[in-house]
Amino acid sequence: MKSPDWRPAFALLTLLALSACEPLPGTGGARIAVLDLDAVAVATGQDVAIEEKLSAADRDLTALLNERAAELEARQSAEIEELGDSPQPRQVQQIRQLTQQQYAQAQAEVTQQYQQYQSGLASAFRTSIQPAVAAAATRLGAQTVMTANSTLIWV
């Protein structure tokens, strides 16, 4: 199924989301427009699409982390078993500590992957709306477009 073309609605919304371009003091008369990316995303339905992609990524990465945890637990059990019937407590402690460190590293990697994916989605959204924003800013006489929010927030 083909996704709906949201660009016509976006062009109108962009005109509404860009603030009135009044020169700001200290800007040498430059006209600056302010764009609310969250409002654009909501109005165009992109917030829902991004949220769905982030939820899917979260599920996939959680499953990957759970798989890694099971592997680490199995390896830990095997290593402890290899120590024999009466392993030294210090040896068992070292194996457990190593397993905990490896799990913490896996958690950090998964978190980093999620954050990179989230950042990539936000960047792709910004890139996709840039031509319409530039056209609207030109019509409004703005030389610069700033965002009202520095990042898109979808959690």
Side-chain angles (χ1 to χ4, degrees):
M1 178 165 79
K2 187 177 178 183
S3 61
D5 186 8
W6 50 270
R7 284 173 279 188
F10 173 73
L12 176 60
L13 178 68
T14 301
L15 292 171
L16 298 174
L18 286 169
S19 70
C21 300
E22 294 298 323
L24 296 175
T27 63
R31 296 171 65 88
I32 299 173
V34 178
L35 176 66
D36 185 340
L37 290 170
D38 286 334
V40 173
V42 169
T44 61
Q46 292 302 298
D47 63 324
V48 173
I50 289 172
E51 180 61 38
E52 288 172 356
K53 290 176 184 178
L54 289 174
S55 292
D58 184 52
R59 283 191 303 273
D60 292 347
L61 290 171
T62 298
L64 184 68
L65 183 60
N66 289 338
E67 185 178 303
R68 179 72 175 136
E71 291 170 5
L72 289 169
E73 180 66 33
R75 189 171 71 203
Q76 174 182 284
S77 296
E79 288 177 7
I80 291 173
E81 196 172 302
E82 285 177 13
L83 295 176
D85 290 336
S86 53
Q88 296 293 319
R90 184 172 181 235
Q91 291 173 312
V92 173
Q93 179 74 12
Q94 287 175 336
I95 291 171
R96 288 186 175 145
Q97 283 178 340
L98 179 61
T99 300
Q100 288 173 349
Q101 289 171 353
Q102 291 170 335
Y103 181 74
Q105 182 179 354
Q107 280 182 310
E109 290 170 2
V110 163
T111 298
Q112 182 180 19
Q113 288 175 350
Y114 181 84
Q115 290 170 342
Q116 287 173 341
Y117 184 66
Q118 185 179 34
S119 177
L121 289 175
S123 179
F125 174 67
R126 286 175 182 245
T127 299
S128 73
I129 66 172
Q130 194 278 332
V133 171
T138 299
R139 284 192 296 276
L140 291 170
Q143 291 89 6
T144 303
V145 177
M146 297 176 66
T147 58
N149 40 3
S150 61
T151 59
L152 293 171
I153 302 174
W154 288 293
V155 181

